[in-house]
Amino acid sequence: MLFVIHGVDKPGALPKRLENYDAHKAFLSDTSAHGVKIVMSGPLTSDDGQTMIGSLFVVEAADRATVEAFNQADPFHKAGIWERVTITGFIRRQG
């Protein structure tokens, strides 16, 4: 099943995001141990198209609990970067 993970950073979180960016990328490089396959992911940006303000993932996993555990293991979650995260089931129609 597909899920969308939508994370919005806390105000002023950019320095902490950048401090944890390498650990976050390393974590995402092999998600098989978490039972999740990343279909697509990347940072959300402000209207300037450059400043990172959050994260978006489309992932494939057996169930929501697996996705929640994956998200909680992410270094960005552990560093407290996201103000809020929503996880929602997704049905792909195009793309």
Side-chain angles (χ1 to χ4, degrees):
M1 180 171 177
L2 294 175
F3 294 88
V4 173
I5 305 169
H6 182 262
V8 176
D9 292 358
K10 293 177 180 174
L14 184 58
K16 189 179 273 193
R17 172 181 270 275
L18 295 175
E19 286 174 22
N20 290 276
Y21 201 62
D22 288 341
H24 171 71
K25 286 183 2 183
F27 172 76
L28 297 180
S29 69
D30 183 7
T31 59
S32 59
H34 297 279
V36 168
K37 177 184 174 196
I38 296 176
V39 176
M40 166 173 82
S41 69
L44 300 171
T45 64
S46 63
D47 290 341
D48 67 10
Q50 298 294 321
T51 306
M52 294 179 281
I53 60 167
S55 304
L56 179 75
F57 303 84
V58 177
V59 300
E60 187 174 350
D63 53 42
R64 181 186 175 89
T66 300
V67 178
E68 289 173 350
F70 164 74
N71 180 254
Q72 291 187 6
D74 190 308
F76 278 5
H77 175 80
K78 291 180 176 185
I81 291 167
W82 292 311
E83 180 173 48
R84 75 178 174 278
V85 173
T86 56
I87 298 172
T88 309
F90 177 69
I91 298 172
R92 181 191 309 211
R93 296 280 189 222
Q94 295 184 19

